[in-house]
Amino acid sequence: MIVTGAAPTIESTAAPSPPPEPPRRRRRALAVLRHEWTLVVLGALALAAVVTWPTLRHPTRTIPSDTGDPTMQAWQMAWSGHALRTDPSSLWQANAFHPEPNSFAFTDTLLGYAPAGLIGTGPAAGLLRYNIVFVLAVALAFVGAYALVRQLGAGRVAGAFAGAAFACAPWRLAQAGHLQVLSTGGIALALAMLARGHGWSLRHGYRPSLARPGWVVGGWCVAAWQLSLGFGIGVPFGYALALVCVVAVLGWLWRRPPLSRRLVLADGAGLAVFLAVAGFMARPYLLVAEQFPYVRRSWEDLQWSSPPLRGFFTSPGTSIVWGDLFAGARADLGHRGEVSLLPGFALYGLAAVGVVLSIWTLRQRLLLAAAVIASIVLAMGTEGPGGGRYTYGLLYALPGFDGIRTPGRLVVWTTLLLAVLAAGAVARLVVAGTKPVRLALVLLPLLVVAEGLNTTPHPPMPTAPPILATAPAPMLVLPSGATIDGIPMLWTTDRFPPMVNGAAAFTPQRQNAIREATVTFPDADSVALLRATGVRSVVVVRDAVRGTPYEGTLTGRTDGLSLRRVDTPEAVVYLLPDAPP
């Protein structure tokens, strides 16, 4: 039999060759981009940009909240950078508050941000620097709380919830003008690094095999940096660290777990850095307290700024979600400062769940809940039980607390403790829930972010009169006042001439006398006082002085006063007798 036709073909059965692997550098780059901490940092930056918007829209022209404290703090960063770049020994002898010594220590210094001050000069650079740091402070708060909760033993969703709750708490909106209060991320980050370095977590306890001495040194350094931002937040943080150390030592004495020599040396070195920074920061403040005894806050002074319990359930007015709803509650609180201290209702709710449902043990939950209550009672100051004498009064007796004017800022600790307590509940729900429930829980961080959305104003920074750049120093810029001197302070960041103007936590008596005397400037008495102070020129800003008690300085007569007057479209400059022609 003959078979005709085409010969059959045999198709290849070999598997297709795999696509070529990406180059090693590309794989490493992708691994870094996909890493948990890369995503956390990038997410924190994006979140911070959103909740602080429009801070970065016009960062060289506007400033968050108002032109009071923020402009002074922009000057602080500029001054510290200028001093480090030109003459570090002059750090505490700032150009403001002439002729007072140690004037840089008249309030919290934000010294930890000095490296940023090394970049750029002048008011525009000062605004840009401040606005960037303002956004980064929110991002660091998120990263710090996330890192702490992850180290304590919770998962990523719980960490994101805690980070968002700590960074976006509604009470922060009332502090938009106080960068030193917003800059609290170092607290959580330092605690996270110290816990990691010691191999300790809330969920698993102390595990010596996981101890990392390098993390311990890093944690102490971050704690020292946090302290350098200001004692208002730093003093309570220092005592909290001391309490943690005492508890840790007592726990070790009770159980005697193995402790490596390297870990002990790391703690010693880190603690030495922390104490060195504390000593360096404390010295000028002690000199200021000796020179101006009235800077210490009396117990009666605290009554104005101590919040009642309802303050912790009252939102600031700039909250988009809660602001209008709590207008009446804020009115009932009166005009006292910093008493709208809501940590967030979503945070309160999840923390309440965390008391009964959590990955933390029952004892841990009860201790966290007790710590939350204690922090609120302490933050109430003189509004606490029994007038606060046996609550905040115990803290007031400790060195450093008599320099803190606002007990309510302890809400930082209330918020962080609530975040840890709530994170336990979120972690438990994620583990126990079905897939749809777990997907829904991923949206929980958005609840606390929503409570942090705000309408914080961003006023434009007034432009300096050009003649200010050449006016002889020491100088006085009018109008002058505690809430407006930050503007001329920032104006002078191109050359930092000595000036009488200055804004801080208190007003020196000499500065107050000059402000009162120059309401009638130019006259014989004010001119004599200014000459005795060494002032060589008085710059009167036309637009700013109108409608103030200083308005008469625009039309003052100089007959018989040996003054020379120079008129420009933006300002009037009076040259005192010893000023050059």
Side-chain angles (χ1 to χ4, degrees), residues 214-348:
W215 283 95
V216 172
V217 175
W220 282 112
C221 289
V222 172
W225 174 81
Q226 176 67 54
L227 182 68
S228 73
L229 295 177
F231 282 139
I233 297 297
V235 166
F237 179 44
Y239 281 108
L241 283 177
L243 179 61
V244 170
C245 290
V246 169
V247 172
V249 169
L250 291 177
W252 182 84
L253 291 174
W254 177 260
R255 298 188 178 183
R256 298 277 180 168
L259 195 63
S260 72
R261 182 172 177 269
R262 290 182 60 209
L263 194 60
V264 174
L265 292 175
D267 272 313
L271 181 59
V273 170
F274 183 83
L275 293 177
V277 170
F280 173 76
M281 294 286 295
R283 182 177 179 275
Y285 284 92
L286 293 175
L287 293 175
V288 169
E290 182 180 350
Q291 183 181 2
F292 306 100
Y294 48 88
V295 302
R296 300 184 185 277
R297 310 293 177 179
S298 68
W299 186 254
E300 288 71 25
D301 291 336
L302 301 179
Q303 295 177 358
W304 183 81
S305 57
S306 293
L309 180 60
R310 65 182 183 276
F312 294 86
F313 299 88
T314 303
S315 170
T318 54
S319 169
I320 291 178
V321 176
W322 304 120
D324 292 340
L325 294 175
F326 284 89
R330 288 192 302 275
D332 291 340
L333 290 172
H335 296 287
R336 292 179 296 176
E338 303 185 32
V339 292
S340 298
L341 299 172
L342 175 67
F345 287 112
L347 181 58
Y348 275 139

Side-chain angles (χ1 to χ4, degrees), residues 10-301:
I10 302 176
E11 296 183 1
S12 173
T13 59
S17 59
E21 293 188 5
R24 180 178 300 178
R25 290 183 180 178
R26 183 181 175 188
R27 292 201 306 272
R28 289 180 178 176
L30 290 174
V32 170
L33 289 175
R34 295 170 181 170
H35 195 278
E36 175 185 359
W37 292 105
T38 302
L39 298 176
V40 168
V41 171
L42 293 177
L45 291 172
L47 173 66
V50 170
V51 299
T52 60
W53 189 259
T55 299
L56 296 180
R57 175 184 289 172
H58 303 297
T60 61
R61 290 183 286 166
T62 63
I63 197 163
S65 185
D66 56 60
T67 55
D69 284 351
T71 53
M72 180 269 291
Q73 293 178 323
W75 166 85
Q76 286 179 315
M77 284 188 276
W79 168 257
S80 59
H82 168 78
L84 294 182
R85 185 172 56 247
T86 58
D87 182 12
S89 65
S90 68
L91 173 65
W92 300 107
Q93 315 305 324
N95 70 305
F97 292 98
H98 172 82
E100 308 294 355
N102 300 305
S103 57
F104 195 48
F106 283 4
T107 190
D108 286 338
T109 63
L110 296 175
L111 186 57
Y113 291 136
L118 295 170
I119 305 172
T121 59
L127 283 176
L128 177 62
R129 183 186 305 116
Y130 179 90
N131 285 320
I132 291 175
V133 171
F134 182 83
V135 175
L136 291 179
V138 177
L140 182 59
F142 179 94
V143 172
Y146 180 95
L148 178 60
V149 165
R150 290 287 281 130
Q151 175 59 32
L152 293 180
R156 297 182 181 184
V157 175
F161 179 88
F166 190 55
C168 302
W171 64 262
R172 290 182 179 270
L173 304 180
Q175 301 288 348
H178 300 139
L179 183 57
Q180 79 279 19
V181 181
L182 299 178
S183 300
T184 53
I187 293 176
L189 185 59
L191 294 175
M193 294 176 70
L194 288 170
R196 181 177 178 83
H198 288 88
W200 185 87
S201 71
L202 194 60
R203 198 169 186 184
H204 305 290
Y206 174 52
R207 291 180 288 181
S209 62
L210 298 181
R212 298 292 183 269
W215 283 95
V216 172
V217 175
W220 282 112
C221 289
V222 172
W225 174 81
Q226 176 67 54
L227 182 68
S228 73
L229 295 177
F231 282 139
I233 297 297
V235 166
F237 179 44
Y239 281 108
L241 283 177
L243 179 61
V244 170
C245 290
V246 169
V247 172
V249 169
L250 291 177
W252 182 84
L253 291 174
W254 177 260
R255 298 188 178 183
R256 298 277 180 168
L259 195 63
S260 72
R261 182 172 177 269
R262 290 182 60 209
L263 194 60
V264 174
L265 292 175
D267 272 313
L271 181 59
V273 170
F274 183 83
L275 293 177
V277 170
F280 173 76
M281 294 286 295
R283 182 177 179 275
Y285 284 92
L286 293 175
L287 293 175
V288 169
E290 182 180 350
Q291 183 181 2
F292 306 100
Y294 48 88
V295 302
R296 300 184 185 277
R297 310 293 177 179
S298 68
W299 186 254
E300 288 71 25
D301 291 336

Side-chain angles (χ1 to χ4, degrees), residues 246-476:
V246 169
V247 172
V249 169
L250 291 177
W252 182 84
L253 291 174
W254 177 260
R255 298 188 178 183
R256 298 277 180 168
L259 195 63
S260 72
R261 182 172 177 269
R262 290 182 60 209
L263 194 60
V264 174
L265 292 175
D267 272 313
L271 181 59
V273 170
F274 183 83
L275 293 177
V277 170
F280 173 76
M281 294 286 295
R283 182 177 179 275
Y285 284 92
L286 293 175
L287 293 175
V288 169
E290 182 180 350
Q291 183 181 2
F292 306 100
Y294 48 88
V295 302
R296 300 184 185 277
R297 310 293 177 179
S298 68
W299 186 254
E300 288 71 25
D301 291 336
L302 301 179
Q303 295 177 358
W304 183 81
S305 57
S306 293
L309 180 60
R310 65 182 183 276
F312 294 86
F313 299 88
T314 303
S315 170
T318 54
S319 169
I320 291 178
V321 176
W322 304 120
D324 292 340
L325 294 175
F326 284 89
R330 288 192 302 275
D332 291 340
L333 290 172
H335 296 287
R336 292 179 296 176
E338 303 185 32
V339 292
S340 298
L341 299 172
L342 175 67
F345 287 112
L347 181 58
Y348 275 139
L350 265 296
V353 174
V355 175
V356 296
L357 183 67
S358 177
I359 61 171
W360 316 132
T361 66
L362 178 59
R363 184 178 67 174
Q364 291 169 344
R365 284 177 264 161
L366 294 178
L367 286 174
L368 284 170
V372 168
I373 295 172
S375 69
I376 292 176
V377 171
L378 292 174
M380 291 172 65
T382 61
E383 292 286 330
R389 285 291 180 182
Y390 300 102
T391 51
Y392 188 79
L394 300 178
L395 297 183
Y396 183 76
L398 296 174
F401 273 92
D402 60 354
I404 299 175
R405 67 180 179 88
T406 49
R409 291 178 182 177
L410 290 175
V411 73
V412 170
W413 293 94
T414 305
T415 309
L416 189 57
L417 290 165
L418 283 169
V420 174
L421 186 58
V426 174
R428 177 62 183 275
L429 291 171
V430 169
V431 172
T434 61
K435 187 174 181 179
V437 171
R438 290 196 297 269
L439 291 174
L441 291 173
V442 174
L443 301 178
L444 280 179
L446 297 180
L447 291 179
V448 288
V449 170
E451 290 190 272
L453 297 178
N454 60 89
T455 58
T456 298
H458 286 69
M461 174 67 186
T463 302
I467 200 169
L468 191 68
T470 56
M475 66 174 66
L476 168 66

Side-chain angles (χ1 to χ4, degrees), residues 484-548:
I484 59 176
D485 270 3
I487 295 174
M489 291 168 77
L490 183 56
W491 281 345
T492 64
T493 53
D494 52 353
R495 63 186 182 114
F496 293 100
M499 63 190 310
V500 175
N501 301 79
F506 73 100
T507 301
Q509 292 177 349
R510 177 159 37 188
Q511 185 192 53
N512 189 60
I514 291 175
R515 285 174 177 166
E516 292 179 351
T518 51
V519 169
T520 57
F521 179 86
D523 63 355
D525 290 339
S526 60
V527 170
L529 178 59
L530 292 174
R531 290 189 65 186
T533 311
V535 174
R536 300 177 65 204
S537 66
V538 177
V539 181
V540 183
V541 184
R542 293 183 185 274
D543 290 341
V545 82
R546 292 189 176 94
T548 74

